[in-house]
C-alpha cells in the first residue's frame, strides 16, 4: 500500500517561479456533506488548505457573504450555495466543478500529455458516484421537499428508502464493480489508470456516508460478497496513510443533519 497517493503524477501549476496561493474551502460548518470530497483531495495529497468555517472566527459570516443573493461585483459569477473554493483571485462553486479544477493541480488525474481524456473519464466516474450515493441518498430522507422537515415526509421517506436500498444501491454498486473489472481500471484496485484519482475519493466518501445512513442494509450487502472489488477499494482508500490519519483527526467532521442521515426506521 503506497503512502503517497499522487507520487507518480506531476501536479500542474500556473507558474514554476511563484508558489501556489493558499486554498480556502467554504462549506457549512460541523458536517461532512458536499465539502468532504474536497477535504479528502487535500488530505490525500498532503496539500495545505484552510477549512474556513470550521477553523476561523469569521468563517460563517464570510460564507454568507459569498452566497449573497446580490449580483457579483467581480469577474466571478455569484454563488448559489457551498461548497466554494477560493484559490488566489479565483472563486468557484459546485462540487464537480471544484474537483475538475483540483484534480490536475493535486496530481489526482493523469497529466494531459499521458492521457488527454483521463480527466473526463474520471469526472464521469465521480459524477456517477455522486448521483447514486449522494444525491439519491439525500432524497431518501427528503423525498418530497428539501425545505420541509423530515418528520413531515416520513412515510414518503420510508417508501423512497425501501426502493433505494432494493434497487438503486445495487444498480450503482454493480456499475462500479463493472468499472473495476474494466480495462480502464488497470488492475481493479482503483477506478482509473491503476492509481488513486479523485473519483476514488468521491466513491469512498459516498460509500462511507451511505454506510452511516443505512448500517444494517449495507452490512447485508457486504455480507453477500457480490461487490468485493468495490468494498476492497473502499477499504484500500480508508487505509491509506494520509486518509487514515485524517479520519482519526478532529479535522474530519462527524455525520449529522447533512446529506447522509441515519434514521433507524429507514434502515430496512
Amino acid at each position: 500500500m503506497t503512502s503517497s497517493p499522487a507520487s507518480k503524477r506531476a501536479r500542474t501549476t500556473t507558474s514554476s517561479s511563484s508558489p501556489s496561493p493558499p486554498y480556502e474551502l467554504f462549506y457549512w460548518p460541523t458536517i461532512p456533506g458536499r465539502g468532504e470530497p474536497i477535504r479528502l483531495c487535500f488530505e490525500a495529497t498532503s496539500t495545505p488548505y484552510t477549512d474556513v468555517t470550521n477553523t476561523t472566527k469569521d468563517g460563517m459570516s464570510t460564507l454568507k457573504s459569498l452566497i449573497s443573493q446580490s449580483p457579483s461585483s467581480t469577474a466571478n459569477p455569484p454563488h448559489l450555495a457551498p461548497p466554494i473554493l477560493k484559490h488566489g483571485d479565483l472563486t468557484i462553486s459546485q462540487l464537480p466543478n471544484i474537483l475538475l479544477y483540483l484534480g490536475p493541480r493535486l496530481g489526482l488525474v493523469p497529466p494531459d500529455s499521458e492521457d488527454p481524456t483521463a480527466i473526463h473519464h474520471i469526472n464521469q466516474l465521480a459524477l456517477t458516484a455522486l448521483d447514486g450515493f449522494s444525491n439519491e441518498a439525500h432524497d431518501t430522507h427528503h423525498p418530497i421537499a428539501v425545505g420541509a422537515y423530515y418528520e413531515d415526509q416520513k412515510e414518503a421517506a420510508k417508501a423512497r428508502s425501501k426502493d433505494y436500498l432494493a434497487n438503486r444501491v445495487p444498480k450503482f454498486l454493480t456499475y462500479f464493480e463493472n468499472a473495476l473489472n474494466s480495462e480502464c481500471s488497470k488492475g481493479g484496485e482503483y477506478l482509473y489508470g491503476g492509481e488513486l484519482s479523485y473519483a476514488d475519493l468521491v466513491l469512498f466518501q459516498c460509500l462511507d456516508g451511505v454506510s452511516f445512513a443505512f448500517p444494517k442494509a449495507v452490512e447485508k450487502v457486504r455480507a453477500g460478497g457480490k461487490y468485493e472489488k468495490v468494498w476492497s477499494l473502499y477499504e484500500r482508500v480508508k487505509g491509506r496513510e494520509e486518509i487514515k490519519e485524517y479520519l482519526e483527526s478532529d479535522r474530519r467532521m462527524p455525520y449529522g443533519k447533512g446529506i447522509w442521515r441515519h434514521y433507524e426506521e429507514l434502515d430496512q
Side-chain angles (χ1 to χ4, degrees), residues 65-66 68-79 89:
S65 71
L66 287 171
S68 168
Q69 297 302 307
S70 302
S72 174
S73 60
T74 71
N76 295 303
H79 305 288
D89 293 331

Side-chain angles (χ1 to χ4, degrees), residues 2-265:
T2 61
S3 61
S4 179
S7 58
K8 297 180 182 179
R9 293 179 180 151
R11 302 182 184 210
T12 63
T13 58
T14 55
S15 171
S16 59
S17 60
S18 60
S20 174
Y23 290 103
E24 296 176 273
L25 171 64
F26 297 85
Y27 193 66
W28 305 120
T30 73
I31 59 173
R34 291 182 177 87
E36 195 61 18
I38 302 167
R39 296 187 188 103
L40 287 168
C41 287
F42 290 136
E43 296 286 348
T45 56
S46 300
T47 300
Y49 70 104
T50 301
D51 191 350
V52 179
T53 61
N54 284 309
T55 61
T56 68
K57 183 179 66 173
D58 300 323
M60 193 60 195
S61 61
T62 304
L63 172 58
K64 288 181 178 179
S65 71
L66 287 171
I67 56 176
S68 168
Q69 297 302 307
S70 302
S72 174
S73 60
T74 71
N76 295 303
H79 305 288
L80 180 65
I84 298 170
L85 178 73
K86 186 175 182 182
H87 189 220
D89 293 331
L90 178 71
T91 306
I92 56 175
S93 55
Q94 292 288 349
L95 172 57
N97 191 36
I98 294 171
L99 294 172
L100 271 176
Y101 180 78
L102 291 176
R105 288 164 176 80
L106 303 186
L108 289 170
V109 298
D112 281 349
S113 59
E114 294 180 10
D115 189 345
T117 62
I119 192 168
H120 304 291
H121 295 312
I122 289 168
N123 198 48
Q124 170 187 316
L125 292 160
L127 288 170
T128 304
L130 291 170
D131 281 345
F133 301 122
S134 178
N135 299 338
E136 292 198 25
H138 171 273
D139 290 347
T140 60
H141 53 78
H142 276 72
I144 297 175
V146 174
Y149 290 109
Y150 163 70
E151 288 74 15
D152 295 331
Q153 47 195 318
K154 185 182 291 188
E155 292 307 311
K158 289 179 181 178
R160 184 66 170 265
S161 297
K162 182 177 181 179
D163 177 72
Y164 179 67
L165 295 172
N167 298 307
R168 305 300 289 170
V169 167
K171 180 182 180 71
F172 283 94
L173 288 174
T174 298
Y175 170 83
F176 284 106
E177 189 75 11
N178 287 338
L180 288 164
N181 281 313
S182 298
E183 175 62 24
C184 68
S185 172
K186 301 295 184 184
E189 292 193 349
Y190 295 104
L191 287 169
Y192 191 87
E195 293 185 51
L196 184 78
S197 72
Y198 72 77
D200 300 299
L201 297 171
V202 170
L203 180 58
F204 163 77
Q205 174 53 39
C206 289
L207 292 172
D208 196 69
V210 170
S211 297
F212 169 80
F214 303 102
K216 293 179 182 177
V218 168
E219 184 179 4
K220 291 177 185 176
V221 169
R222 296 191 67 166
K226 192 175 179 181
Y227 311 104
E228 291 185 359
K229 287 194 174 180
V230 171
W231 293 109
S232 291
L233 181 150
Y234 171 82
E235 296 295 341
R236 187 172 296 111
V237 172
K238 187 176 182 178
R240 293 180 74 92
E241 183 179 326
E242 297 86 352
I243 299 299
K244 185 175 185 293
E245 188 277 327
Y246 168 63
L247 295 177
E248 294 171 353
S249 76
D250 59 6
R251 300 190 304 281
R252 171 74 165 186
M253 295 294 108
Y255 292 107
K257 294 296 183 180
I259 295 170
W260 299 284
R261 306 184 188 188
H262 175 65
Y263 295 106
E264 188 172 354
E265 62 270 22

